[in-house]
Amino acid sequence: MVVSMDVHLPEDSELTVNEVNLSTSTLLAGAFHLGKYCENANNEFMLCRMEEKDPRKCINEGKAVTACTMEFFRKVKKSCLDEFNQYSNCVDKSSGDYSLKHCRKTQGVFDKCVFEKLNIERPAFGYFCEARVHDSKRPKPLEEPKAVYPDATPALPEDADKKPARFGSRFYWMTE
Amino acid sequence: MEACQVARKQDLPPPGGYKPIPYKRVPAKTFFSGYTMFAGYLGITAAAAYLYYKNYKQITKDQIEMRSAKMAIFPMLMAERDRAFLKQLRRNREAERELMKDVPGWEVGTYYGEKVYNLLPPDTLVEPIYHEYYAHSRPYEWYQRAYLKLRS
């Protein structure tokens, strides 16, 4: 494997947290409110992940994301469990691809409950497909500096004598 | 010669003469005139285009909704995946060290001390290719992951 002993890998104890143990239909049913509830943590993590391009550097942000997700689903379980179960059951069983379009009625009930109990509104249509601006406190990673090759051929000096070309242009129909 | 003198009957047209030869065209029955057909074509095409447009809009909306939902849960899945991935990398490295400990000169992650990537700084994490990642697992697990699409 390409990972040698020089590469620092975090210990298992650093990586072990309570994982979100939920099925796809459950996650998709709660997706919009989850995204709104954990927007800051999610943006922070995704920005880190895209900027650093290294999973090792974003472990804490990732833990924050998972903790936030757990917190959201705990809250939903406490306040809107029946509505949520109804909705996720509908999402699970109405189509083969967990399509949300078949479940507008149960979705309405769930939305209402979440809005009343947790005060989270369903975000506008296509909200998570839009580009978002996130202001992070994490410093931006340094860009890779331009490579300098010590044995490169030196350029012409500024005041070098630049004579006109002897045979005109190099375009093939103009030579000769 | 007597036998040959049979009264011959000449082949003649039927009384009243032959029927006239039907050489005139018999055109098929026309249900629509040309103008009506063109108008019908345009009308049906326009109606179909309208329906197509409505359906297209609806499908695009549904796709955007599904994409939104998936993007909302993506960070959580990514965080989980990263942790599992790093754990597995450590496990793989330990497995390789255990497997190759009797081979003199073998260094983990290199080919007898020869690095794979010479220009990268030593602490760069290069994600291993699929076959390396599954090198120490059972073939069944490799297969299960590789053909997940076919099996689901």
Side-chain angles (χ1 to χ4, degrees):
Chain A
M1 201 172 62
V2 287
V3 181
S4 63
M5 295 310 277
D6 297 336
V7 177
H8 169 256
L9 290 176
E11 297 286 336
D12 276 10
S13 55
E14 290 172 54
L15 298 170
T16 309
V17 291
N18 270 349
E19 298 290 0
V20 184
N21 191 15
L22 293 175
S23 61
T24 311
S25 60
T26 319
L27 287 173
L28 280 177
F32 287 92
H33 297 97
L34 167 70
K36 195 70 197 161
Y37 186 76
C38 299
E39 194 173 19
N40 198 44
N42 285 355
N43 285 356
E44 188 72 40
F45 174 66
M46 287 319 288
L47 182 72
C48 172
R49 199 65 180 65
M50 295 294 124
E51 271 185 356
E52 303 278 1
K53 297 183 180 66
D54 190 343
R56 293 173 302 169
K57 290 179 183 161
C58 306
I59 288 169
N60 290 331
E61 283 86 347
K63 281 181 187 171
V65 168
T66 304
C68 179
T69 311
M70 295 291 272
E71 192 188 322
F72 171 76
F73 279 111
R74 276 199 192 108
K75 278 189 175 177
V76 169
K77 189 176 179 180
K78 207 189 272 176
S79 49
C80 298
L81 182 62
D82 286 342
E83 288 87 345
F84 184 67
N85 276 347
Q86 206 181 6
Y87 182 37
S88 66
N89 191 39
C90 174
V91 171
D92 191 12
K93 293 179 182 168
S94 297
S95 60
D97 56 353
Y98 304 113
S99 201
L100 301 174
K101 66 182 168 187
H102 307 292
C103 303
R104 296 299 177 209
K105 276 186 192 167
T106 42
Q107 177 185 318
V109 175
F110 173 61
D111 279 2
K112 200 170 158 236
C113 175
V114 173
F115 184 61
E116 280 167 3
K117 303 260 177 69
L118 302 176
N119 200 22
I120 308 170
E121 212 171 340
R122 173 170 284 260
F125 174 76
Y127 180 74
F128 295 106
C129 290
E130 290 167 0
R132 271 156 289 166
V133 179
H134 180 65
D135 189 16
S136 172
K137 290 194 179 63
R138 192 176 46 78
K140 199 177 174 184
L142 295 172
E143 276 184 32
E144 199 181 330
K146 205 174 167 185
V148 178
Y149 300 102
D151 55 346
T153 313
L156 274 179
E158 276 299 307
D159 53 349
D161 193 14
K162 288 170 185 165
K163 291 180 197 162
R166 277 169 64 202
F167 299 108
S169 170
R170 289 279 176 134
F171 288 119
Y172 68 92
W173 67 88
M174 289 184 175
T175 48
E176 293 178 341
Chain B
M1 288 303 276
E2 275 301 304
C4 295
Q5 298 297 321
V6 182
R8 288 181 183 160
K9 197 178 176 196
Q10 199 176 352
D11 196 11
L12 285 171
Y18 287 115
K19 282 186 209 160
I21 298 170
Y23 62 88
K24 274 200 174 149
R25 272 187 72 197
V26 186
K29 194 181 170 190
T30 50
F31 292 97
F32 304 107
S33 72
Y35 288 114
T36 326
M37 296 243 279
F38 274 110
Y41 164 71
L42 290 176
I44 288 171
T45 307
Y50 172 68
L51 291 179
Y52 181 88
Y53 173 74
K54 277 190 79 168
N55 198 26
Y56 171 79
K57 280 278 190 202
Q58 189 56 43
I59 287 173
T60 314
K61 273 179 95 170
D62 291 343
Q63 279 176 345
I64 289 175
E65 191 186 20
M66 287 313 285
R67 200 157 65 231
S68 287
K70 281 172 189 166
M71 283 170 118
I73 57 171
F74 181 73
M76 189 274 287
L77 298 174
M78 189 80 172
E80 194 176 320
R81 175 261 175 201
D82 278 355
R83 284 192 292 268
F85 177 70
L86 289 173
K87 274 185 197 173
Q88 184 61 40
L89 282 190
R90 178 170 277 277
R91 245 175 271 150
N92 278 8
R93 198 166 72 174
E94 294 306 316
E96 185 179 335
R97 190 160 65 176
E98 188 61 28
L99 181 71
M100 302 299 281
K101 66 182 176 197
D102 298 334
V103 181
W106 183 266
E107 285 175 36
V108 175
T110 58
Y111 182 68
Y112 292 105
E114 189 183 332
K115 284 196 218 164
V116 183
Y117 298 99
N118 276 316
L119 295 181
L120 292 178
D123 193 23
T124 314
L125 179 70
V126 180
E127 298 203 356
I129 59 166
Y130 180 70
H131 300 82
E132 281 185 332
Y133 191 64
Y134 277 81
H136 301 286
S137 68
R138 283 178 298 166
Y140 178 70
E141 279 158 9
W142 185 96
Y143 184 86
Q144 232 184 353
R145 174 67 184 76
Y147 297 105
L148 188 67
K149 274 267 180 216
L150 297 179
R151 298 175 71 254
S152 58

